[in-house]
């Protein structure tokens, strides 16, 4: 339990630090840190119930991307301001390290185990981000269409009211 809390706190610090390095506005640094901590919390929670690395990485990345999109709407900023810091805790650093060690030592045992884990994790991350991005793209597109239709309907109603007003004179 204490290890999990420390991981969440370190994830907050890492995401906060990432925000500093990439010059996120000061007023959004805490939200960037929270996005990393929330992502790590969801990742650790999913890790308790799901054994397949692709699935728990996909779900954690989906949650991170959804949080980033919601914060983008709330703060009127691009979602990448919150998405990039939130993925820091999800990067499979250990698997990547041991994959490279396996390649350097030409150990097929290391390569097969860690490279597969690395690929599954990164594929889950990418697919999670893309899924939310596509959904939000079509949601925005739909809302634009609805707004245009309402604006056209209001314009037609105004023209009709103007014509009836002119006919009354």
């Amino acid at each position: 339990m204490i290890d999990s809390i420390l991981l969440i706190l370190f994830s907050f610090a890492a995401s906060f630090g990432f925000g500093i390095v990439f010059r996120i506005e000061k007023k959004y640094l805490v939200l960037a840190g929270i996005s990393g901590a929330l992502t790590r919390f969801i990742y650790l929670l999913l890790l308790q119930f799901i054994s397949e690395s692709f699935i728990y990485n996909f779900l954690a990345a989906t949650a991170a991307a959804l949080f980033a999109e919601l914060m983008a709407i709330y703060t009127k900023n691009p979602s990448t301001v919150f998405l990039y810091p939130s993925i820091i805790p999800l990067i499979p650093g250990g698997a990547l390290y041991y994959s490279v060690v396996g390649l350097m030592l030409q150990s097929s045992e290391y390569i097969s185990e860690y490279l597969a884990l690395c690929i599954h994790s990164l594929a889950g991350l990418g697919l999670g981000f893309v899924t939310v991005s596509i959904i939000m793209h079509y949601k925005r597109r739909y809302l634009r269409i609805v707004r245009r239709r309402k604006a056209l309907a209001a314009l037609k109603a105004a023209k009709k009211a103007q014509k009836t007003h002119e006919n009354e004179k």
Side-chain angles (χ1 to χ4, degrees), residues 82-123:
F82 303 103
L83 182 62
Y84 292 160
S86 70
I87 66 171
I88 296 302
L90 296 178
I91 295 173
L96 188 58
Y97 171 79
Y98 287 115
S99 298
V100 172
V101 167
L103 288 170
M104 298 296 282
L105 297 175
Q106 296 178 348
S107 169
S108 60
E109 186 178 299
Y110 264 65
I111 294 171
S112 64
E113 181 180 349
Y114 290 107
L115 192 58
L117 177 65
C118 190
I119 290 170
H120 287 169
S121 298
L122 292 173

